[in-house]
């Protein structure tokens, strides 16, 4: 009787023949061709155009666009904003993840939904609501301008708008990972006599460092490229409140297309670089954390 | 003498010290969220609430507003549909088949997420404008203008929404291969039956999720659209742009009303998808 039952290796080979290569060669070829065509036209072509157009007028135009005063100022503003946004979101992400994963309290789902909210809000609306709060007829605008603080049409407004669109990118992987890890290691450290701060610095932080870098990377990439939200609050003052993407828009609208693409190619190179880093970091994260974040 | 005799008796169970920092972490998170998200959104609700019924009617029956909302939501819907056809094909081919260029194509899927929207916007605009290479070819061959029309808007939103479908479906298809399909094949189901009874039903819930995400994102998209749209009022002017125009006219009531409508539609679609997912989980759990 037992000879009738195939061995498990044989079963698997049998199954693979049906499941792995189950689709006929014609269907296979068709699906592969469609994939090649669709992704080439939809993604590869626009990506190549950026670099082709950047050098369309020769490398002189390319270089002079990159080292022009306005470009350098836009670059320095973008770097400043990113340098402020990423740490702020990292501190928030750690604090929110600590509260949400180490404790039970009522209203947790509300807090989680608030963290997810920016994904549902158009970037333009994110910028617009800041105008409602900090504008000259807004709630805080008049008070702050009395104090001499300018939020709109200057760096603080751009930072706030960028924070609005990026903070979930750091908080969500941290929450997912710390939820996975539970609270046992922290409880052990505490019961062995470590203080709260020491527990956090020597147990929690090393455990979540890759998720923190990962979120920080996504956040930095988006801060570099954020357009809609920043466009509403920046006021588009050339050489002063134009970030890199806004500078690209200004050049393009001035019909300085090659210069616009030169600056755009710099942004595109940066985003390709972050993609490579992202693939490297994803290997260091558990599957479920990674896959939950990939679709954001 | 046994070891136990010289050891002092252990306490039955040491009372666990609670994890500290609850007040600090929760307090800081709430303050941060309040300033960054809650306060601004309340300001939007208050600003929209200042409109009375007639004011709302005036804004919402303005044909320019209707055209903009229809363009944004209609194109987002069309793009989500296109991606729901091609996204699963790409996801399936990338997961199941080994072919030249597979790894590169797989990496390309992430590009629309990573590329700044303004960069994608000018690239698409210069390709598909009536004078651009693709735009000219399509105009000559099919007699259809892509750039500066609603077709161009849809095209940009296909680009933006593509990763949502592919990346949501890939893990589902990968899991399926391991057990369900093999089991079905072993039990004697032929390939078309495996497709009908295993692959399509398993992928459908994830596809609905991806569809909604790409729709919600597309409806609010700004940077990658405005360059290719051309922004002709009533023809190719998207709703987010109209909010900015109203703001520049200092017409806060008008801007808030459009923003409120957009926000409510995206929130509703996300609530519906969460309910749907809960329902699916429940049904799968009972079966």
């Amino acid at each position: 009787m037992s000879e009738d039952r195939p061995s498990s290796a044989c079963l698997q080979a049998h199954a693979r023949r049906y499941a792995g290569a189950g689709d006929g060669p014609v269907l296979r070829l068709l699906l592969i061709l469609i994939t090649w065509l669709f992704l080439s036209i939809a993604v590869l072509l626009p990506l190549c155009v950026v670099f082709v157009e950047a050098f369309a007028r020769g490398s002189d135009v390319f270089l002079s666009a990159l080292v022009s005063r306005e470009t350098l100022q836009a670059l320095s503003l973008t770097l400043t904003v990113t340098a402020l946004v990423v740490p702020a979101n990292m501190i928030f992400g750690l604090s929110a993840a600590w509260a949400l994963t180490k404790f039970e309290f009522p209203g947790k789902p509300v807090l989680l939904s608030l963290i997810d909210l920016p994904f549902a809000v158009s970037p333009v609306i994110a910028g617009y609501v800041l105008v409602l709060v900090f504008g000259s007829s807004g709630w805080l605008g008049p008070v702050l301008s009395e104090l001499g603080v300018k939020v709109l049409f200057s760096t603080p407004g751009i930072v706030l708008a960028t924070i609005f669109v990026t903070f979930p990118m750091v908080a969500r992987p941290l929450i997912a990972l710390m939820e996975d890890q539970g609270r046992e290691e922290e409880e052990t450290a505490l019961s062995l006599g470590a203080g709260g701060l020491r527990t956090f610095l020597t147990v929690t932080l090393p455990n979540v460092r890759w998720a923190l870098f990962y979120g920080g990377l996504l956040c930095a990439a988006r801060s570099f490229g954020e357009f809609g939200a920043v466009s509403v609050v920046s006021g588009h003052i050339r050489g002063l409140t134009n970030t890199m993407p806004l500078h690209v828009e200004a050049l393009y609208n001035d019909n300085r297309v090659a210069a616009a693409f030169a600056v755009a190619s710099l942004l595109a190179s940066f985003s390709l670089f972050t993609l490579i880093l992202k693939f490297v970091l994803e290997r260091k994260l558990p599957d479920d954390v990674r896959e939950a974040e990939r679709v954001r | 003498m046994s070891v136990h005799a010289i050891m002092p008796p252990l306490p039955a169970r040491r009372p666990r010290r609670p994890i500290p920092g609850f007040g600090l972490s929760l307090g800081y998170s709430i303050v941060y969220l309040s300033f960054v998200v809650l306060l601004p959104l309340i300001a939007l609700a208050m600003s929209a609430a200042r409109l009375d019924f007639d004011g709302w009617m005036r804004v919402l029956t303005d044909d320019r507003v209707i055209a903009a909302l229809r363009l944004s939501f209609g194109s987002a819907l069309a793009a989500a549909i296109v991606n729901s056809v091609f996204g699963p094909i790409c996801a399936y081919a990338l997961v199941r088949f080994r072919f030249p260029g597979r790894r590169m194509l797989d990496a390309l899927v992430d590009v629309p997420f990573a590329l700044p929207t303004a960069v994608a916007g000018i690239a698409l605009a210069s390709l598909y404008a009536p004078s651009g290479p693709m735009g000219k070819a399509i105009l000559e061959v099919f007699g259809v203008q892509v750039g500066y029309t609603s077709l161009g808007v849809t095209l940009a939103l296909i680009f933006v929404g593509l990763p949502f479908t592919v990346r949501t479906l890939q893990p589902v298809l990968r899991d399926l291969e391991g057990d369900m399909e093999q089991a079905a094949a072993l039990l004697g189901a032929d390939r078309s039956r495996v497709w009908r009874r295993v692959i399509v039903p398993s992928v459908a819930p994830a596809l609905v999720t991806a569809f909604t995400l790409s729709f919600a994102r597309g409806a609010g998209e700004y940077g990658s659209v405005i360059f290719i749209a051309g922004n002709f009022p009533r023809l190719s002017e998207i709703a987010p742009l109209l909010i900015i125009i109203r703001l520049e006219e200092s017409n806060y009531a008008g801007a808030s009303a459009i923003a409120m409508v957009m926000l409510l539609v995206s929130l509703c679609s996300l609530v519906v998808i969460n309910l749907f997912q809960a329902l699916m989980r429940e049904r799968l759990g009972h079966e």
Side-chain angles (χ1 to χ4, degrees), chain A:
Chain A
M1 279 311 231
S2 64
E3 285 107 74
D4 291 336
R5 305 178 67 185
S7 71
S8 92
C10 176
L11 266 177
Q12 275 180 1
H14 180 69
R16 192 155 296 135
R17 195 159 61 236
Y18 281 93
D23 304 302
V26 180
L27 181 64
R28 246 174 125 83
L29 192 66
L30 188 71
L31 293 180
I32 290 172
L33 273 180
I34 294 176
T35 303
W36 253 106
L37 259 178
F38 183 67
L39 289 177
S40 308
I41 295 177
V43 185
L44 190 57
L45 193 61
L47 188 63
C48 293
V49 161
V50 174
F51 293 97
V52 171
E53 292 270 354
F55 291 100
R57 293 280 186 83
S59 50
D60 288 350
V61 176
F62 177 81
L63 282 176
S64 68
L66 286 192
V67 298
S68 81
R69 196 181 56 92
E70 284 179 357
T71 305
L72 293 177
Q73 260 161 348
L75 182 63
S76 102
L77 178 62
T78 296
L79 286 172
T80 311
V81 169
T82 307
L84 291 169
V85 166
V86 174
N89 282 342
M90 280 181 166
I91 294 168
F92 166 76
L94 285 169
S95 135
W98 184 266
L100 282 164
T101 61
K102 305 293 175 202
F103 307 98
E104 296 303 325
F105 57 92
K108 237 180 183 181
V110 179
L111 208 57
L112 273 170
S113 320
L114 269 181
I115 293 176
D116 270 343
L117 197 61
F119 290 129
V121 178
S122 165
V124 167
I125 296 178
Y128 174 64
V129 293
L130 289 177
V131 174
L132 287 177
V133 175
F134 296 101
S136 54
S137 54
W139 288 353
L140 298 179
V143 183
L144 288 172
S145 71
E146 286 275 294
L147 297 169
V149 181
K150 206 172 162 214
V151 176
L152 287 188
F153 313 133
S154 71
T155 314
I158 298 173
V159 169
L160 276 175
T162 311
I163 284 178
F164 188 108
V165 284
T166 56
F167 77 84
M169 296 176 166
V170 189
R172 287 180 49 95
L174 282 175
I175 293 169
L177 184 67
M178 281 165 77
E179 191 75 56
D180 261 14
Q181 291 175 341
R183 57 191 93 165
E184 259 173 38
E185 288 189 31
E186 279 82 6
E187 278 168 350
T188 308
L190 288 165
S191 73
L192 291 173
L197 185 66
R198 192 165 162 211
T199 303
F200 175 75
L201 290 178
T202 58
V203 177
T204 312
L205 211 50
N207 273 342
V208 301
R209 65 183 190 281
W210 294 120
L212 188 66
F213 286 152
Y214 182 68
L217 178 77
L218 297 187
C219 170
R222 183 71 190 266
S223 307
F224 243 76
E226 178 49 37
F227 181 70
V230 169
S231 164
V232 179
V233 296
S234 96
H236 303 268
I237 308 164
R238 293 214 177 168
L240 205 59
T241 66
N242 261 359
T243 60
M244 288 288 271
L246 295 178
H247 184 49
V248 170
E249 182 197 23
L251 289 172
Y252 190 81
N253 289 342
D254 282 355
N255 237 344
R256 291 166 64 191
V257 177
F261 275 104
V263 179
S265 72
L266 192 65
L267 281 171
S269 312
F270 177 74
S271 64
L272 291 180
F273 176 66
T274 59
L275 267 188
I276 295 169
L277 271 183
K278 189 175 150 228
F279 277 117
V280 175
L281 280 179
E282 269 170 357
R283 285 163 199 270
K284 311 227 178 232
L285 293 175
D287 279 357
D288 50 342
V289 174
R290 180 175 70 209
E291 264 155 15
E293 289 318 307
R294 281 194 99 172
V295 293
R296 295 291 178 181

Side-chain angles (χ1 to χ4, degrees), chain B residues 50-104:
Chain B
R50 242 174 267 147
L51 273 176
D52 56 3
F53 184 75
D54 287 343
W56 272 96
M57 279 294 123
R58 245 197 329 279
V59 173
L60 295 182
T61 53
D62 177 357
D63 59 348
R64 190 169 171 190
V65 175
I66 294 174
L69 287 171
R70 187 186 287 158
L71 177 66
S72 275
F73 287 116
S75 311
L77 197 67
I81 291 171
V82 171
N83 279 332
S84 300
V85 174
F86 288 102
I89 294 176
C90 295
Y92 190 85
L94 290 173
V95 168
R96 293 299 166 84
F97 307 140
R98 298 290 169 270
F99 56 93
R102 187 186 67 91
R103 288 178 66 88
M104 182 200 73

Side-chain angles (χ1 to χ4, degrees), chain B:
Chain B
M1 203 154 69
S2 81
V3 187
H4 291 284
I6 52 163
M7 294 251 304
L10 285 163
R13 194 190 161 139
R14 228 174 125 172
R16 279 191 166 168
R17 265 172 64 193
I19 296 179
F22 177 60
L24 180 67
S25 62
L26 185 64
Y28 180 74
S29 306
I30 290 178
V31 168
Y32 195 89
L33 278 175
S34 304
F35 264 96
V36 172
V37 183
L38 215 48
L39 189 69
L41 287 179
I42 292 172
L44 173 64
M46 299 274 283
S47 161
R50 242 174 267 147
L51 273 176
D52 56 3
F53 184 75
D54 287 343
W56 272 96
M57 279 294 123
R58 245 197 329 279
V59 173
L60 295 182
T61 53
D62 177 357
D63 59 348
R64 190 169 171 190
V65 175
I66 294 174
L69 287 171
R70 187 186 287 158
L71 177 66
S72 275
F73 287 116
S75 311
L77 197 67
I81 291 171
V82 171
N83 279 332
S84 300
V85 174
F86 288 102
I89 294 176
C90 295
Y92 190 85
L94 290 173
V95 168
R96 293 299 166 84
F97 307 140
R98 298 290 169 270
F99 56 93
R102 187 186 67 91
R103 288 178 66 88
M104 182 200 73
L105 291 178
D106 193 44
L108 272 181
V109 171
D110 272 331
V111 165
F113 275 154
L115 203 63
T117 53
V119 175
I122 62 169
L124 290 169
S126 70
L127 265 175
Y128 290 97
S131 58
M134 290 292 278
K136 200 189 263 172
I138 292 173
L139 191 63
E140 275 165 13
V141 177
F142 299 103
V144 183
Q145 187 181 332
V146 181
Y148 314 140
T149 67
S150 58
L151 199 60
V153 177
T154 307
L155 195 90
L157 296 183
I158 292 172
F159 175 85
V160 169
L162 169 76
F164 288 98
T165 23
V166 181
R167 289 292 182 238
T168 313
L169 294 184
Q170 271 176 328
V172 182
L173 285 168
R174 211 171 289 133
D175 287 350
L176 217 59
E177 190 176 26
D179 42 22
M180 297 281 279
E181 275 177 54
Q182 293 193 359
L186 278 173
L187 290 171
D190 61 19
R191 193 61 190 163
S192 73
R193 193 145 173 228
V194 172
W195 267 96
R196 261 187 339 217
R197 304 299 292 266
V198 179
I199 300 181
V200 173
S202 314
V203 163
L207 190 57
V208 173
T209 307
F211 182 88
T212 318
L213 285 174
S214 108
F215 170 74
R217 169 76 198 268
E221 181 57 33
Y222 177 70
S224 46
V225 181
I226 49 160
F227 297 100
I228 197 174
N231 311 324
F232 299 111
R234 294 182 189 80
L235 282 177
S236 60
E237 183 178 67
I238 53 169
L241 179 65
L242 195 54
I243 294 177
I244 294 182
I245 292 171
R246 290 285 183 261
L247 175 63
E248 278 166 2
E249 297 165 354
S250 295
N251 179 356
Y252 288 95
S256 297
I258 305 169
M260 226 30 212
V261 172
M262 293 193 63
L263 200 57
L264 287 177
V265 174
S266 0
L267 284 182
C268 284
S269 54
L270 290 182
V271 168
V272 167
I273 174 189
N274 278 339
L275 289 177
F276 171 80
Q277 279 176 332
L279 199 75
M280 288 306 291
R281 263 199 299 276
E282 199 172 298
R283 264 186 61 187
L284 291 176
H286 282 305
E287 265 169 17

